[in-house]
Amino acid sequence: MSMYCNQCEQTAKGIACTTHGVCGKDPEVSALQDLLVHAVMGLSLYAVEGRKKGITDPEVDRFTVKAIFTTLTNVDFDPARFQNYINEAVAMRDKLKERVGVSFDHNSANFQPASDVAGLTEQGKQVSLDSDKETDADIQSMQQILLYGVKGVAAYADHAAILNQTDEKVYAFIQEAMAALTRNDLEANDWLGLILKCGEMNFRAMELLDAGNTGTYGHPTPTAVPLGHKKGKAIVVSGHDLKDLEELLKQTEGKGIYVYTHGEMLPTHGYPELKKYSHFYGHYGTAWQNQQKEFANFPGAILMTTNCIQKPQESYADNIFTTGLVGWPGVHHVDGHDYGPVIEKALAMPGFPSDEDNGTVNVGFARNAVIGVAPKVIEAVKGGAIKHFFLVGGCDGAKPGRNYYADLVEQAPKDTVILTLACGKFRFFDKDLGDIGGIPRLLDVGQCNDAYSAIQIALALANAFDCDVNELPLTLILSWYEQKAVAILLTLLHLGIKNIFIGPSLPAFITPNVLNVLVENYNLRPISTPEKDLEMILG
């Protein structure tokens, strides 16, 4: 069975995965994901039409973002779960169709799902965007940019909704965009408008998530996080979701279990309402793509939240649990924040035999912390102590070429400051870069989910210097892997931020003509070498 998936940076040969996904996705799951996207397009046609008549359904809105989020890279690989999502999407579509009282000709608005996974897989192979051989390549490229951007927006909207932060405008746009993908009468400027609107709505979704995180857990504060471990039973949590972590900390309190973070969960140590738990100890391992090696050596239970899972190795397959939208066939899944099975597994495992001190890393330099010392930063810039800021952030991955980011950080002059966020920082997160007048040269803003915080820092600096963001001594150097990164890039373009460097390779779904538009309008450029790029930036 073949497949065609080009939505992530590691796609085979820089074109597409056609036999098996580099992420671990097989052709069956790929087809089921395409069919779910197709089903959501049909559901969205009726949701958009319903809004015109004053008909909205919060259940449909929440399901829409969950369904789309499950198709994002490294979230769900379980065919049985996709069968349920597809059936649920069609049931909601038909119910909403009856309420709205209209019908559409598009297949997504009318198809009926097959009765088994094999039949659904065959249906899915017929409906991916890439199965359309008649659409102009540049139009199809813009459709994919929109779809993959919407997947990122859906992820952030789902994270925010878990913390009771929602906005009808975000749901309305997601459904508007998904409905637009059924049309063949839109021109390039129409698609470009939707793409930039996607960036605008992603900014709002990230704002909601920031409000949820900081409103629930407090604003992050600078915090030293141990990289070693304590003697005793252990659970490690990977992914992004703060609510999952909080519930686990509550349920493990007083049970003699230390809780560690992995990957993008590292910045959670900076939140006051999370770090108050004495058994929330330190960080284990590095970025998501190293989990198979790192989890094999972890002597406790493993909990995967959101989008970071890889195929579990046999050595720890019985010790790993998924929760929320994450799924892998045969892996224990926890519903409703009932972490009893995870705790039981941790208590049954040996844990760490002794304490180990591997030093610390600093987190917690989100917008409140950095803006709080803005006068000191501004004085350092005006006095010449700080010459330039680099935001070096984004996704990490296994594909060669990502050493660029660590090399650039290490080669950046000592009168520059590095802001970083997301798991790309694991290339250099433990480097001691020193400080400038007491201001650390390496400031960890947080997860990829905290891109809003980084943007607010840039806007605050621009306001302080009474200039445009593009006039600041600031350069964004981004690494991308999956669809959240696409959404963040679209947000930056929506805000008019220019001269962004991106790598380690350009998206396979962007055609040369579409790339030229981005270069001409935003001076978006691919990374080259640290030496050449630093020379170009610093003159």
mmCIF file of all heavy atoms in Angstrom, residues 73-102:
data_model
loop_
_atom_site.group_PDB
_atom_site.id
_atom_site.type_symbol
_atom_site.label_atom_id
_atom_site.label_comp_id
_atom_site.label_asym_id
_atom_site.label_seq_id
_atom_site.Cartn_x
_atom_site.Cartn_y
_atom_site.Cartn_z
ATOM 1 N N THR A 73 1.268 15.687 13.094
ATOM 2 C CA THR A 73 2.373 14.731 13.195
ATOM 3 C C THR A 73 2.619 14.297 14.643
ATOM 4 O O THR A 73 2.656 15.114 15.550
ATOM 5 C CB THR A 73 3.658 15.362 12.616
ATOM 6 O OG1 THR A 73 3.407 15.772 11.272
ATOM 7 C CG2 THR A 73 4.806 14.368 12.635
ATOM 8 N N ASN A 74 2.805 12.989 14.831
ATOM 9 C CA ASN A 74 3.183 12.395 16.118
ATOM 10 C C ASN A 74 2.122 12.536 17.207
ATOM 11 O O ASN A 74 2.450 12.663 18.381
ATOM 12 C CB ASN A 74 4.512 12.964 16.629
ATOM 13 C CG ASN A 74 5.697 12.522 15.813
ATOM 14 O OD1 ASN A 74 6.142 13.241 14.925
ATOM 15 N ND2 ASN A 74 6.210 11.331 16.084
ATOM 16 N N VAL A 75 0.845 12.481 16.830
ATOM 17 C CA VAL A 75 -0.216 12.507 17.835
ATOM 18 C C VAL A 75 -0.844 11.126 17.982
ATOM 19 O O VAL A 75 -0.710 10.474 19.015
ATOM 20 C CB VAL A 75 -1.299 13.556 17.491
ATOM 21 C CG1 VAL A 75 -2.418 13.522 18.544
ATOM 22 C CG2 VAL A 75 -0.691 14.950 17.435
ATOM 23 N N ASP A 76 -1.535 10.674 16.949
ATOM 24 C CA ASP A 76 -2.303 9.433 17.063
ATOM 25 C C ASP A 76 -1.981 8.500 15.898
ATOM 26 O O ASP A 76 -2.030 8.914 14.734
ATOM 27 C CB ASP A 76 -3.804 9.758 17.079
ATOM 28 C CG ASP A 76 -4.656 8.587 17.534
ATOM 29 O OD1 ASP A 76 -4.122 7.463 17.671
ATOM 30 O OD2 ASP A 76 -5.859 8.792 17.759
ATOM 31 N N PHE A 77 -1.673 7.265 16.228
ATOM 32 C CA PHE A 77 -1.323 6.259 15.227
ATOM 33 C C PHE A 77 -2.253 5.039 15.295
ATOM 34 O O PHE A 77 -1.942 4.001 14.734
ATOM 35 C CB PHE A 77 0.120 5.793 15.437
ATOM 36 C CG PHE A 77 1.163 6.870 15.284
ATOM 37 C CD1 PHE A 77 1.426 7.763 16.303
ATOM 38 C CD2 PHE A 77 1.899 6.985 14.111
ATOM 39 C CE1 PHE A 77 2.389 8.753 16.162
ATOM 40 C CE2 PHE A 77 2.862 7.961 13.963
ATOM 41 C CZ PHE A 77 3.111 8.847 14.993
ATOM 42 N N ASP A 78 -3.370 5.171 15.980
ATOM 43 C CA ASP A 78 -4.242 4.031 16.257
ATOM 44 C C ASP A 78 -5.424 4.001 15.283
ATOM 45 O O ASP A 78 -6.329 4.840 15.361
ATOM 46 C CB ASP A 78 -4.761 4.131 17.694
ATOM 47 C CG ASP A 78 -5.472 2.866 18.145
ATOM 48 O OD1 ASP A 78 -5.864 2.063 17.274
ATOM 49 O OD2 ASP A 78 -5.630 2.691 19.361
ATOM 50 N N PRO A 79 -5.469 3.044 14.351
ATOM 51 C CA PRO A 79 -6.553 2.982 13.365
ATOM 52 C C PRO A 79 -7.948 2.916 13.993
ATOM 53 O O PRO A 79 -8.893 3.524 13.481
ATOM 54 C CB PRO A 79 -6.244 1.707 12.578
ATOM 55 C CG PRO A 79 -4.772 1.528 12.724
ATOM 56 C CD PRO A 79 -4.455 1.998 14.109
ATOM 57 N N ALA A 80 -8.094 2.185 15.075
ATOM 58 C CA ALA A 80 -9.411 2.040 15.702
ATOM 59 C C ALA A 80 -9.949 3.374 16.191
ATOM 60 O O ALA A 80 -11.147 3.665 16.085
ATOM 61 C CB ALA A 80 -9.328 1.044 16.869
ATOM 62 N N ARG A 81 -9.074 4.202 16.712
ATOM 63 C CA ARG A 81 -9.504 5.524 17.179
ATOM 64 C C ARG A 81 -9.931 6.399 16.007
ATOM 65 O O ARG A 81 -10.908 7.155 16.107
ATOM 66 C CB ARG A 81 -8.389 6.179 17.987
ATOM 67 C CG ARG A 81 -8.195 5.557 19.362
ATOM 68 C CD ARG A 81 -6.897 6.004 20.014
ATOM 69 N NE ARG A 81 -6.835 7.436 20.150
ATOM 70 C CZ ARG A 81 -6.790 8.090 21.323
ATOM 71 N NH1 ARG A 81 -6.859 7.403 22.450
ATOM 72 N NH2 ARG A 81 -6.690 9.388 21.383
ATOM 73 N N PHE A 82 -9.215 6.298 14.888
ATOM 74 C CA PHE A 82 -9.599 7.092 13.719
ATOM 75 C C PHE A 82 -10.953 6.650 13.172
ATOM 76 O O PHE A 82 -11.740 7.476 12.697
ATOM 77 C CB PHE A 82 -8.520 7.025 12.641
ATOM 78 C CG PHE A 82 -7.362 7.944 12.915
ATOM 79 C CD1 PHE A 82 -6.132 7.440 13.309
ATOM 80 C CD2 PHE A 82 -7.517 9.314 12.814
ATOM 81 C CE1 PHE A 82 -5.076 8.290 13.590
ATOM 82 C CE2 PHE A 82 -6.466 10.174 13.093
ATOM 83 C CZ PHE A 82 -5.236 9.659 13.484
ATOM 84 N N GLN A 83 -11.220 5.368 13.235
ATOM 85 C CA GLN A 83 -12.535 4.899 12.806
ATOM 86 C C GLN A 83 -13.630 5.573 13.635
ATOM 87 O O GLN A 83 -14.640 6.035 13.091
ATOM 88 C CB GLN A 83 -12.631 3.377 12.948
ATOM 89 C CG GLN A 83 -13.982 2.815 12.491
ATOM 90 C CD GLN A 83 -14.038 1.297 12.586
ATOM 91 O OE1 GLN A 83 -13.293 0.675 13.346
ATOM 92 N NE2 GLN A 83 -14.927 0.692 11.805
ATOM 93 N N ASN A 84 -13.416 5.676 14.942
ATOM 94 C CA ASN A 84 -14.399 6.326 15.807
ATOM 95 C C ASN A 84 -14.557 7.804 15.469
ATOM 96 O O ASN A 84 -15.680 8.328 15.424
ATOM 97 C CB ASN A 84 -13.995 6.158 17.275
ATOM 98 C CG ASN A 84 -14.095 4.718 17.751
ATOM 99 O OD1 ASN A 84 -14.860 3.931 17.205
ATOM 100 N ND2 ASN A 84 -13.320 4.372 18.765
ATOM 101 N N TYR A 85 -13.421 8.483 15.247
ATOM 102 C CA TYR A 85 -13.487 9.910 14.917
ATOM 103 C C TYR A 85 -14.246 10.143 13.610
ATOM 104 O O TYR A 85 -15.052 11.074 13.502
ATOM 105 C CB TYR A 85 -12.079 10.492 14.780
ATOM 106 C CG TYR A 85 -11.297 10.603 16.060
ATOM 107 C CD1 TYR A 85 -9.970 10.175 16.120
ATOM 108 C CD2 TYR A 85 -11.856 11.150 17.222
ATOM 109 C CE1 TYR A 85 -9.225 10.277 17.287
ATOM 110 C CE2 TYR A 85 -11.119 11.253 18.383
ATOM 111 C CZ TYR A 85 -9.799 10.815 18.421
ATOM 112 O OH TYR A 85 -9.067 10.921 19.569
ATOM 113 N N ILE A 86 -13.971 9.320 12.616
ATOM 114 C CA ILE A 86 -14.630 9.482 11.309
ATOM 115 C C ILE A 86 -16.130 9.279 11.440
ATOM 116 O O ILE A 86 -16.934 10.064 10.921
ATOM 117 C CB ILE A 86 -14.016 8.517 10.275
ATOM 118 C CG1 ILE A 86 -12.567 8.913 9.971
ATOM 119 C CG2 ILE A 86 -14.843 8.508 8.983
ATOM 120 C CD1 ILE A 86 -11.754 7.834 9.263
ATOM 121 N N ASN A 87 -16.520 8.234 12.141
ATOM 122 C CA ASN A 87 -17.953 7.975 12.339
ATOM 123 C C ASN A 87 -18.621 9.115 13.113
ATOM 124 O O ASN A 87 -19.758 9.515 12.802
ATOM 125 C CB ASN A 87 -18.154 6.655 13.075
ATOM 126 C CG ASN A 87 -17.860 5.449 12.198
ATOM 127 O OD1 ASN A 87 -17.971 5.518 10.981
ATOM 128 N ND2 ASN A 87 -17.468 4.344 12.812
ATOM 129 N N GLU A 88 -17.910 9.638 14.101
ATOM 130 C CA GLU A 88 -18.468 10.735 14.890
ATOM 131 C C GLU A 88 -18.605 11.997 14.036
ATOM 132 O O GLU A 88 -19.607 12.716 14.135
ATOM 133 C CB GLU A 88 -17.568 11.008 16.107
ATOM 134 C CG GLU A 88 -18.190 11.954 17.111
ATOM 135 C CD GLU A 88 -17.365 12.063 18.390
ATOM 136 O OE1 GLU A 88 -16.356 11.335 18.517
ATOM 137 O OE2 GLU A 88 -17.728 12.880 19.252
ATOM 138 N N ALA A 89 -17.612 12.266 13.189
ATOM 139 C CA ALA A 89 -17.665 13.448 12.323
ATOM 140 C C ALA A 89 -18.866 13.381 11.380
ATOM 141 O O ALA A 89 -19.578 14.377 11.187
ATOM 142 C CB ALA A 89 -16.367 13.568 11.525
ATOM 143 N N VAL A 90 -19.086 12.218 10.794
ATOM 144 C CA VAL A 90 -20.201 12.063 9.854
ATOM 145 C C VAL A 90 -21.545 12.153 10.578
ATOM 146 O O VAL A 90 -22.497 12.765 10.076
ATOM 147 C CB VAL A 90 -20.064 10.738 9.077
ATOM 148 C CG1 VAL A 90 -21.322 10.459 8.268
ATOM 149 C CG2 VAL A 90 -18.844 10.798 8.157
ATOM 150 N N ALA A 91 -21.629 11.589 11.775
ATOM 151 C CA ALA A 91 -22.880 11.674 12.547
ATOM 152 C C ALA A 91 -23.196 13.124 12.900
ATOM 153 O O ALA A 91 -24.350 13.570 12.779
ATOM 154 C CB ALA A 91 -22.769 10.827 13.807
ATOM 155 N N MET A 92 -22.179 13.862 13.305
ATOM 156 C CA MET A 92 -22.379 15.281 13.614
ATOM 157 C C MET A 92 -22.758 16.059 12.358
ATOM 158 O O MET A 92 -23.614 16.953 12.391
ATOM 159 C CB MET A 92 -21.102 15.875 14.221
ATOM 160 C CG MET A 92 -20.862 15.512 15.664
ATOM 161 S SD MET A 92 -19.462 16.441 16.339
ATOM 162 C CE MET A 92 -19.568 15.957 18.064
ATOM 163 N N ARG A 93 -22.098 15.730 11.252
ATOM 164 C CA ARG A 93 -22.392 16.402 9.979
ATOM 165 C C ARG A 93 -23.853 16.212 9.593
ATOM 166 O O ARG A 93 -24.549 17.181 9.254
ATOM 167 C CB ARG A 93 -21.490 15.819 8.884
ATOM 168 C CG ARG A 93 -21.680 16.429 7.497
ATOM 169 C CD ARG A 93 -21.141 15.488 6.432
ATOM 170 N NE ARG A 93 -21.984 14.285 6.286
ATOM 171 C CZ ARG A 93 -21.627 13.216 5.592
ATOM 172 N NH1 ARG A 93 -20.453 13.156 5.006
ATOM 173 N NH2 ARG A 93 -22.474 12.186 5.494
ATOM 174 N N ASP A 94 -24.341 14.990 9.663
ATOM 175 C CA ASP A 94 -25.712 14.704 9.241
ATOM 176 C C ASP A 94 -26.733 15.351 10.178
ATOM 177 O O ASP A 94 -27.793 15.833 9.734
ATOM 178 C CB ASP A 94 -25.936 13.200 9.161
ATOM 179 C CG ASP A 94 -25.142 12.561 8.014
ATOM 180 O OD1 ASP A 94 -24.648 13.323 7.150
ATOM 181 O OD2 ASP A 94 -25.015 11.328 7.997
ATOM 182 N N LYS A 95 -26.419 15.383 11.454
ATOM 183 C CA LYS A 95 -27.304 16.021 12.424
ATOM 184 C C LYS A 95 -27.364 17.532 12.176
ATOM 185 O O LYS A 95 -28.452 18.137 12.204
ATOM 186 C CB LYS A 95 -26.805 15.727 13.841
ATOM 187 C CG LYS A 95 -27.695 16.271 14.943
ATOM 188 C CD LYS A 95 -27.137 15.886 16.313
ATOM 189 C CE LYS A 95 -27.980 16.458 17.442
ATOM 190 N NZ LYS A 95 -27.422 16.111 18.781
ATOM 191 N N LEU A 96 -26.202 18.129 11.906
ATOM 192 C CA LEU A 96 -26.150 19.567 11.651
ATOM 193 C C LEU A 96 -26.810 19.907 10.315
ATOM 194 O O LEU A 96 -27.490 20.934 10.177
ATOM 195 C CB LEU A 96 -24.691 20.046 11.671
ATOM 196 C CG LEU A 96 -24.437 21.550 11.691
ATOM 197 C CD1 LEU A 96 -25.150 22.220 12.862
ATOM 198 C CD2 LEU A 96 -22.936 21.827 11.771
ATOM 199 N N LYS A 97 -26.632 19.037 9.338
ATOM 200 C CA LYS A 97 -27.270 19.217 8.025
ATOM 201 C C LYS A 97 -28.784 19.325 8.176
ATOM 202 O O LYS A 97 -29.435 20.177 7.549
ATOM 203 C CB LYS A 97 -26.899 18.045 7.113
ATOM 204 C CG LYS A 97 -27.553 18.071 5.741
ATOM 205 C CD LYS A 97 -27.115 16.864 4.925
ATOM 206 C CE LYS A 97 -27.772 16.853 3.546
ATOM 207 N NZ LYS A 97 -27.324 15.677 2.734
ATOM 208 N N GLU A 98 -29.333 18.482 9.020
ATOM 209 C CA GLU A 98 -30.784 18.490 9.231
ATOM 210 C C GLU A 98 -31.230 19.796 9.883
ATOM 211 O O GLU A 98 -32.269 20.364 9.528
ATOM 212 C CB GLU A 98 -31.164 17.293 10.098
ATOM 213 C CG GLU A 98 -32.659 17.077 10.235
ATOM 214 C CD GLU A 98 -32.984 15.787 10.970
ATOM 215 O OE1 GLU A 98 -32.232 14.802 10.791
ATOM 216 O OE2 GLU A 98 -33.973 15.776 11.728
ATOM 217 N N ARG A 99 -30.431 20.291 10.802
ATOM 218 C CA ARG A 99 -30.774 21.541 11.488
ATOM 219 C C ARG A 99 -30.666 22.735 10.551
ATOM 220 O O ARG A 99 -31.489 23.656 10.598
ATOM 221 C CB ARG A 99 -29.852 21.756 12.693
ATOM 222 C CG ARG A 99 -30.073 20.811 13.851
ATOM 223 C CD ARG A 99 -29.088 21.111 14.969
ATOM 224 N NE ARG A 99 -29.297 22.444 15.531
ATOM 225 C CZ ARG A 99 -28.427 23.064 16.329
ATOM 226 N NH1 ARG A 99 -27.271 22.464 16.639
ATOM 227 N NH2 ARG A 99 -28.693 24.258 16.796
ATOM 228 N N VAL A 100 -29.614 22.729 9.716
ATOM 229 C CA VAL A 100 -29.362 23.877 8.844
ATOM 230 C C VAL A 100 -30.346 23.902 7.674
ATOM 231 O O VAL A 100 -30.738 24.964 7.188
ATOM 232 C CB VAL A 100 -27.902 23.851 8.343
ATOM 233 C CG1 VAL A 100 -27.657 24.943 7.301
ATOM 234 C CG2 VAL A 100 -26.945 24.022 9.519
ATOM 235 N N GLY A 101 -30.729 22.731 7.183
ATOM 236 C CA GLY A 101 -31.736 22.654 6.141
ATOM 237 C C GLY A 101 -31.246 22.952 4.744
ATOM 238 O O GLY A 101 -32.017 23.412 3.887
ATOM 239 N N VAL A 102 -29.956 22.721 4.493
ATOM 240 C CA VAL A 102 -29.408 22.877 3.142
ATOM 241 C C VAL A 102 -28.579 21.638 2.825
ATOM 242 O O VAL A 102 -28.299 20.820 3.697
ATOM 243 C CB VAL A 102 -28.522 24.144 3.011
ATOM 244 C CG1 VAL A 102 -29.314 25.406 3.288
ATOM 245 C CG2 VAL A 102 -27.311 24.052 3.953
#
